Amino acid sequence: MDHSTVSPSRASGGPSPDPAAVSSRGSARATSPATSPATTAGSAAQRAGRPRDLVAVNIGNALEWFDWNIYAIFAPFFAAQFFRAEDPVSSLLSTLAVFAVGFLMRPVGGWLFGRLADDKGRKFSLTLAILLASFGSLLIAVAPTFDAIGVWAGVVLLVARLVQGLSHGGETGSAFTYLAEIAPQDKRGFWASTPWLGVGVGTMLATGVGVLLTALLTEAQMAEFGWRIPFAVAALLGVYALYIRKTMNESEVHTERKERDEREGADSPSLREVLSELGREWKPLLQIVGLTISGVVAFYTWFIFAPGYASREFGMDPNASLVAGLCGQAVFLVAIPVMGRLSDRFGRKPVLMVFAAGFALVAFPLEWMLGPSPFMLFLAMAAGSVLLAANCAPLGAVFAELVPTKLRATLIGVGYATSGAIFGGTAPYLNTWLSSIGMHGLFVGYMILLCLVSVVVIIKMPETARRDLR
């Protein structure tokens, strides 16, 4: 960890940076080559381009999440195409198992793309991530079925999902890091919350495509070819996302760090040095995990899994359940920027606690609301979305504020992606399996337990709002 760049407020968890430390950093920059007139002009141009960069990151993020979530949404339609169709439940579980296996690559992606972001730059990492995500979608779109090549169909599906998992693991950490670093300090919570708008938009697009296709095509047509359409669309949209990512500016915080290392003659750290640094930063890494585990399980349960669950368990019309889910997800989009601004005004901890404590209290009542009524599904998902926003919105800012610049993308990528892999990736499978044996309440209890773990982490962690990231 670069202790020379950490203000007393970071060490103590105080709300604002130390004036002397800020002054000394400002003086150092004023006398360095980095503040030449050309560089100053370049920095001004970068600051002017920040809103455009904010949009570029989030358009790409939305398309990445569209790629990721169409798999879960369309799994019931293509499950029998890749695995034996005699037992529909077995085919669906096999398909969801591949969904979970894709999550295993997310920690690898978090590490690989985190290191690329910390070494080569946030822009490079984000551009490569969207390229791989689009390739994975293209592979699924053209994949042969079980009837054509037997068990190899499942292997092709698995490879595509592993590629997407690698990409997705790298996307989140790099996006959180980049937006937190380019944000105005007093609006960091708001700016760093915007990747979740991409999450919401991408998921809603995936759900909306599901609504449209199930309305236009018969069930037989969906099973035969309709499920391929969203993956082909995702691959095409990826070309546009790749273009806008290449037009972004690099983060000034990262650029200044690299320039400082070059002036000091510091080489890029070796793998051994990186692992040693990660070992020293074990506390913020565990805090990232503790803040993540409850939210990812609740997200995949209520944001992704709920419409399909209502259709299977309560006989709700599949199209009606998707429409209700789409409306419930729209509430999340409204709540995210509100929670991001609240975290800037009142601090990260109070907003995070709204979810962790609140969801633990209402987890069972939300489940009791579900039944054959699409309106009740909407109400349950809307309530869950507001609580989820309180968890998701502050995370990008909190993660960036907890860790040093030198390892920021790596620590965020590894911590968040590992939590997502272990807890989020297994949530749909575990929920489906427990529901199939009549023990769905056990899964709800599991979510409550994870929320209580997050409550403890929030109580013990320092308030990080307004920390200096440089």
Side-chain angles (χ1 to χ4, degrees):
M1 177 176 178
D2 181 21
H3 294 284
S4 65
T5 65
V6 181
S7 69
S9 66
R10 176 179 290 280
S12 64
S16 60
D18 177 65
V22 173
S23 175
S24 65
R25 280 193 299 271
S27 299
R29 287 197 296 271
T31 59
S32 73
T35 54
S36 65
T39 303
T40 302
S43 297
Q46 281 187 325
R47 286 191 291 272
R50 283 175 180 174
R52 182 197 62 198
D53 295 337
L54 174 73
V55 173
V57 170
N58 287 312
I59 289 177
N61 193 47
L63 295 178
E64 176 105 16
W65 277 90
F66 177 80
D67 285 357
W68 184 253
N69 287 320
I70 53 178
Y71 184 100
I73 289 171
F74 287 88
F77 297 107
F78 67 77
Q81 301 295 319
F82 289 94
F83 302 97
R84 292 189 181 276
E86 288 81 359
D87 184 357
V89 175
S90 177
S91 295
L92 180 58
L93 286 174
S94 297
T95 309
L96 290 176
V98 174
F99 179 78
V101 168
F103 274 84
L104 295 179
M105 291 300 290
R106 290 181 65 172
V108 179
W111 167 266
L112 175 62
F113 284 86
R115 289 306 307 137
L116 287 173
D118 285 333
D119 188 32
K120 302 293 185 182
R122 319 316 193 195
K123 174 182 173 180
F124 178 85
S125 177
L126 287 165
T127 303
L128 182 59
I130 200 68
L131 178 64
L132 286 183
S134 300
F135 174 75
S137 289
L138 179 62
L139 194 57
I140 297 176
V142 301
T145 64
F146 183 89
D147 289 340
I149 60 173
V151 296
W152 288 103
V155 174
V156 172
L157 183 66
L158 177 63
V159 170
R161 201 59 184 173
L162 290 176
V163 169
Q164 287 190 321
L166 185 71
S167 164
H168 207 68
E171 168 75 18
T172 305
S174 298
F176 279 155
T177 300
Y178 180 81
L179 289 175
E181 288 181 347
I182 70 169
Q185 184 166 294
D186 62 342
K187 297 179 180 177
R188 187 184 297 143
F190 174 72
W191 277 51
S193 72
T194 58
W196 291 101
L197 296 178
V199 173
V201 170
T203 304
M204 288 177 66
L205 282 174
T207 307
V209 169
V211 171
L212 180 63
L213 290 178
T214 54
L216 295 177
L217 302 177
T218 66
E219 189 170 338
Q221 290 173 325
M222 283 297 300
E224 183 181 356
F225 66 87
W227 62 267
R228 294 185 185 272
I229 296 174
F231 294 102
V233 170
L236 291 174
L237 291 176
V239 177
Y240 172 66
L242 186 63
Y243 166 74
I244 61 172
R245 286 274 171 96
K246 289 178 69 67
T247 65
M248 290 166 27
N249 292 303
E250 184 54 83
S251 156
E252 285 185 75
V253 174
H254 168 75
T255 301
E256 289 179 9
R257 170 73 207 193
K258 294 294 290 185
E259 290 175 349
R260 188 161 59 248
D261 286 346
E262 290 174 3
R263 291 196 301 272
E264 296 172 356
D267 297 325
S268 296
S270 65
L271 176 61
R272 182 177 180 179
E273 290 171 332
V274 171
L275 291 174
S276 177
E277 290 277 2
L278 289 175
R280 285 193 286 270
E281 298 293 337
W282 62 270
K283 187 173 181 180
L285 185 59
L286 288 181
Q287 288 170 332
I288 290 172
V289 172
L291 294 174
T292 300
I293 54 176
S294 55
V296 293
V297 173
F299 178 85
Y300 280 101
T301 299
W302 280 102
F303 213 70
I304 305 297
F305 187 81
Y309 175 78
S311 178
R312 288 191 304 273
E313 295 295 319
F314 302 107
M316 190 182 300
D317 177 73
N319 188 262
S321 69
L322 287 175
V323 171
L326 191 63
C327 294
Q329 290 163 358
V331 176
F332 183 78
L333 294 184
V334 176
I336 278 290
V338 173
M339 294 297 181
R341 289 299 292 147
L342 289 176
S343 77
D344 285 325
R345 182 172 182 179
F346 299 107
R348 318 299 184 209
K349 293 178 64 171
V351 179
L352 288 168
M353 190 63 78
V354 168
F355 165 78
F359 197 87
L361 291 173
V362 304
F364 273 108
L366 288 178
E367 293 285 340
W368 297 334
M369 291 174 67
L370 295 181
S373 168
F375 181 69
M376 294 305 293
L377 172 63
F378 161 71
L379 288 181
M381 288 189 66
S385 291
V386 172
L387 291 173
L388 273 171
N391 170 261
C392 297
L395 287 184
V398 170
F399 291 168
E401 291 158 353
L402 284 171
V403 296
T405 302
K406 186 176 183 179
L407 293 173
R408 183 166 290 135
T410 303
L411 280 164
I412 295 174
V414 170
Y416 185 82
T418 301
S419 304
I422 296 173
F423 295 93
T426 58
Y429 185 94
L430 184 60
N431 201 347
T432 299
W433 176 65
L434 288 174
S435 298
S436 70
I437 60 175
M439 299 184 67
H440 180 71
L442 187 61
F443 182 82
V444 181
Y446 166 66
M447 287 195 292
I448 292 174
L449 178 62
L450 295 179
C451 286
L452 295 178
V453 171
S454 295
V455 166
V456 174
V457 173
I458 295 166
I459 291 173
K460 291 186 172 294
M461 67 177 280
E463 177 57 69
T464 61
R466 291 173 290 280
R467 280 185 173 181
D468 183 13
L469 295 187
R470 298 178 187 272

